[in-house]
């Protein structure tokens, strides 16, 4: 499983495991977790980088409606995994 680093707003770095990725309405989303164990916390990030940017820029999804919609897509993709938000 791929592990990626994110630079947080305060300048520190956090590492997450990419569980799944998808594209909805032209926007790329990542489902990531903070560990590989059964008690891992999952987060949804979306790509907010400019179209001509060579590096992806992800932000955590905070809008409740958007989060629920994307969560449902990931839940269907990973129907054999018990996801909780």
């Amino acid at each position: 499983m791929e592990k990626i680093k994110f630079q947080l707003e305060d300048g520190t770095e956090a590492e997450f495991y990419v569980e799944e990725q998808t594209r909805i309405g032209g926007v790329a989303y990542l489902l990531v977790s903070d560990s590989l164990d059964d008690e891992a916390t999952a987060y949804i990030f979306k790509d907010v980088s400019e179209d001509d940017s060579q590096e992806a820029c992800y932000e955590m999804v905070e809008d409740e409606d958007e989060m629920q919609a994307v969560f449902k897509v990931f839940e269907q993709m990973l129907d054999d995994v018990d996801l909780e938000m």
Side-chain angles (χ1 to χ4, degrees), residues 42-85:
Y43 304 94
I44 298 174
F45 287 89
K46 72 176 176 178
D47 187 349
V48 295
S49 57
E50 299 294 323
D51 290 338
D52 59 351
S53 177
Q54 292 187 359
E55 284 193 24
C57 179
Y58 287 91
E59 288 183 358
M60 190 176 298
V61 175
E62 294 182 11
D63 178 78
E64 191 65 32
D65 292 335
E66 179 181 16
M67 186 182 313
Q68 289 296 327
V70 176
F71 178 76
K72 286 181 183 179
V73 171
F74 282 130
E75 199 170 37
Q76 290 174 354
M77 293 171 73
L78 298 167
D79 62 358
D80 62 332
V81 177
D82 183 27
L83 292 178
E84 292 184 26
M85 283 183 33

